[in-house]
Amino acid sequence: MKRLVILGGGESGVGTAILGKKKGFDVFVSDFGKIKDHYKEVLTINEIPWEEETHTEHKILNADVVMKSPGIPDKSAIVKKLLEKKIPVISEIEFAAPFTKAITIGITGSNGKTTTTMLTYHLLKEGGLNVGLGGNIGKSFAWQVADDAFDVYVLELSSFQLDGCFTYKPHIAILTNISPDHLDRYDYKYENYIESKFRITKNQDKNDYLIYDADDEAINNWFKNNTIKAKKIPFSLTKQVENGVSIKEEKMEIEINNEEFTMEIAQFALEGKHNVKNAMAAASVAQLMKIRKATIRESLSNFQGVEHRLEKVLKIQNVQYINDSKATNVNSVFFALDSMTTPTVWIVGGVDKGNDYTELMALVREKVKAIVCLGIDNKKIIDTFGNVVDVMIEVDNMVDAVQMSQRLAEKGDAVLLSPACASFDLFENYEERGNQFKKAVQNL
């Protein structure tokens, strides 16, 4: 009996444990932090041994294979010891994929991956496919594979998940874009992070597809020095591409494998240039999966968007409040500010991941009337924009941030929470930050 050790008792860890047990592994779950009560219950009911707030080495270093949750860095002591012993350390996706015959669609990128994943899932589900949603969102992929309920999976894949993939290959891969993010996990080398993203296509063959942003500098540079086996499907806002997606006279035009599809951009439910790109990528998948054209049209025009991503909360005294808590890096904020059409009070700040704010300078000059810094350490933001905006205020909780923004905003303005940073200084995660923002707005 092979021994499967799982590091991390969260959604992906517990899902992998259930699949491992079902497939006859001797399973053990170890979490250096606390395991949530409902996960403990699941593990206990399934008679899977677990431990929390410690890693007992003799129970871990005897593994045949280790599934590591994406949040645990390779630099952690226990992972280093496993790698020294040449014990394979893999991700949930890598572990689960061989146990399903389903087609998988893998989606990665620095920004837009959640929206693209949700939109792709929406298109395929509306098209009548028996489709599951997993990876970085929703229910654990491994858990769903254990229940064996779906013919197709749409998976959002972070670079951390891809780092633990060695044989996994999606039938269709999407690379939305690449911009510097999480560099603290990649020895502060951008090229390491780029390589990590391209792992999504590494095992693909000539029967598979890679859909990618042909306007993206990092992607284009990588292609100058590297080749892939998969069929390339580029999408572009600026140029006409072959066997891909282009824009002509405010229309999206898809031409893949001699099949054509066109739709007016004005009919898309989601606003903003970045969302046109997300729609191009998702519609390409729908086209490859033979979804009816009428269904693609309808689905693109009725999609509701993703919570905490440019989510319109309320209009109060003719001021629009927008929750973009999911914008945890500079590139996301660039999209958010770019889509603003009215003077904006910008709430920004949190745990800085090595941000370079200068690329936002032109947009801030043009769109932002006041900045509310919401974080423990706001020095970098103040140094960058102190002389650019008229008003800059520091707060240390969401209620104050929203109330100050209300005072600064006039009729016709917008208040935008788009933090550019991780949330861990003041909040548990970006969802909690977004929910606190919505609650504070509702209480105005």
Side-chain angles (χ1 to χ4, degrees), residues 65 385 392:
V65 62
F385 301 116
M392 193 164 233

Side-chain angles (χ1 to χ4, degrees), residues 257-419:
N257 300 346
N258 299 322
E259 278 273 313
E260 288 189 2
F261 173 84
T262 61
M263 180 169 172
E264 286 182 18
I265 291 170
Q267 294 174 333
F268 292 175
L270 297 178
E271 297 164 21
K273 283 186 213 136
H274 58 296
N275 278 322
V276 173
K277 292 193 167 189
N278 297 338
M280 287 169 137
S284 300
V285 176
Q287 184 87 325
L288 286 168
M289 297 296 287
K290 308 272 190 276
I291 302 297
R292 287 175 56 239
K293 290 177 183 178
T295 308
I296 299 177
R297 252 185 216 101
E298 204 175 304
S299 303
L300 287 175
S301 60
N302 67 18
F303 180 65
Q304 288 299 304
V306 175
E307 197 182 5
H308 309 298
R309 169 59 86 220
L310 285 174
E311 176 191 9
K312 289 179 177 164
V313 181
L314 279 177
K315 216 172 207 181
I316 302 171
Q317 291 162 336
N318 209 17
V319 173
Q320 179 70 60
Y321 290 81
I322 300 169
N323 166 27
D324 195 38
S325 180
K326 204 169 184 310
T328 57
N329 57 33
V330 167
N331 201 256
S332 294
V333 176
F334 186 94
F335 292 138
L337 289 175
D338 194 39
S339 68
M340 301 309 289
T341 52
T342 54
T344 302
V345 177
W346 176 30
I347 304 172
V348 56
V351 181
D352 186 296
K353 295 187 280 188
N355 285 347
D356 175 10
Y357 292 107
T358 50
E359 60 191 79
L360 298 173
M361 196 58 84
L363 281 169
V364 171
R365 279 184 206 281
E366 181 193 346
K367 315 245 184 178
V368 176
K369 60 186 287 185
I371 289 179
V372 176
C373 298
L374 173 63
I376 304 289
D377 177 12
N378 305 308
K379 184 178 183 311
K380 207 160 153 186
I381 298 165
I382 293 165
D383 287 351
T384 311
F385 301 116
N387 302 326
V388 180
V389 295
D390 298 337
V391 185
M392 193 164 233
I393 291 166
E394 287 191 84
V395 294
D396 62 7
N397 65 78
M398 188 58 83
V399 172
D400 286 354
V402 169
Q403 288 178 350
M404 287 311 305
S405 300
Q406 186 188 27
R407 281 180 213 152
L408 295 165
E410 300 163 285
K411 275 186 181 160
D413 290 353
V415 171
L416 171 70
L417 168 70
S418 193

Side-chain angles (χ1 to χ4, degrees), residues 66-317:
V66 172
M67 195 297 287
K68 168 176 87 66
S69 294
I72 302 169
D74 291 340
K75 298 183 181 83
S76 71
I78 192 74
V79 177
K80 277 185 171 163
K81 284 181 183 165
L82 286 162
L83 294 173
E84 273 163 27
K85 290 194 73 169
K86 305 244 183 316
I87 296 168
V89 179
I90 63 175
S91 69
E92 173 203 3
I93 309 298
E94 176 77 2
F95 179 76
F99 296 114
T100 178
K101 292 189 175 69
I103 289 173
T104 67
I105 292 149
I107 299 169
T108 197
S110 305
N111 292 299
K113 59 180 176 288
T114 304
T115 301
T116 304
T117 302
M118 296 295 285
L119 185 51
T120 303
Y121 172 71
H122 176 67
L123 285 167
L124 300 186
K125 199 171 161 59
E126 294 293 303
L129 295 183
N130 177 23
V131 58
L133 175 72
N136 220 7
I137 46 182
K139 196 172 171 181
S140 147
F141 172 54
W143 206 323
Q144 294 180 72
V145 168
D147 295 340
D148 194 23
F150 298 108
D151 305 324
V152 180
Y153 289 97
V154 180
L155 303 176
E156 177 188 314
L157 302 175
S158 68
S159 49
F160 304 155
Q161 282 165 318
L162 289 168
D163 288 339
C165 287
F166 304 94
T167 60
Y168 167 67
K169 74 175 188 93
H171 173 49
I172 302 172
I174 297 177
L175 184 48
T176 56
N177 51 51
I178 304 181
S179 62
D181 195 4
H182 303 295
L183 295 189
D184 48 340
R185 285 272 291 258
Y186 291 98
D187 302 326
Y188 293 96
K189 290 189 179 120
Y190 188 25
E191 59 273 23
N192 294 3
Y193 174 66
I194 293 170
E195 282 303 326
S196 173
K197 288 296 188 196
F198 270 98
R199 288 179 83 101
I200 199 164
T201 186
K202 202 176 75 168
N203 301 309
Q204 287 187 304
D205 60 40
K206 64 182 192 312
N207 302 313
D208 302 317
Y209 297 90
L210 175 69
I211 298 165
Y212 66 94
D213 182 351
D215 302 333
D216 188 287
E217 189 185 353
I219 294 175
N220 288 334
N221 286 340
W222 190 89
F223 275 130
K224 281 178 195 162
N225 306 312
N226 299 274
T227 53
I228 64 167
K229 294 192 185 85
K231 291 194 186 87
K232 288 182 181 175
I233 297 180
F235 58 86
S236 169
L237 292 180
T238 56
K239 53 191 181 242
Q240 298 298 304
V241 293
E242 289 206 0
N243 208 35
V245 199
S246 314
I247 302 294
K248 221 179 196 166
E249 292 159 8
E250 295 301 304
K251 273 197 187 112
M252 170 175 83
E253 294 195 351
I254 302 181
E255 194 184 315
I256 297 172
N257 300 346
N258 299 322
E259 278 273 313
E260 288 189 2
F261 173 84
T262 61
M263 180 169 172
E264 286 182 18
I265 291 170
Q267 294 174 333
F268 292 175
L270 297 178
E271 297 164 21
K273 283 186 213 136
H274 58 296
N275 278 322
V276 173
K277 292 193 167 189
N278 297 338
M280 287 169 137
S284 300
V285 176
Q287 184 87 325
L288 286 168
M289 297 296 287
K290 308 272 190 276
I291 302 297
R292 287 175 56 239
K293 290 177 183 178
T295 308
I296 299 177
R297 252 185 216 101
E298 204 175 304
S299 303
L300 287 175
S301 60
N302 67 18
F303 180 65
Q304 288 299 304
V306 175
E307 197 182 5
H308 309 298
R309 169 59 86 220
L310 285 174
E311 176 191 9
K312 289 179 177 164
V313 181
L314 279 177
K315 216 172 207 181
I316 302 171
Q317 291 162 336

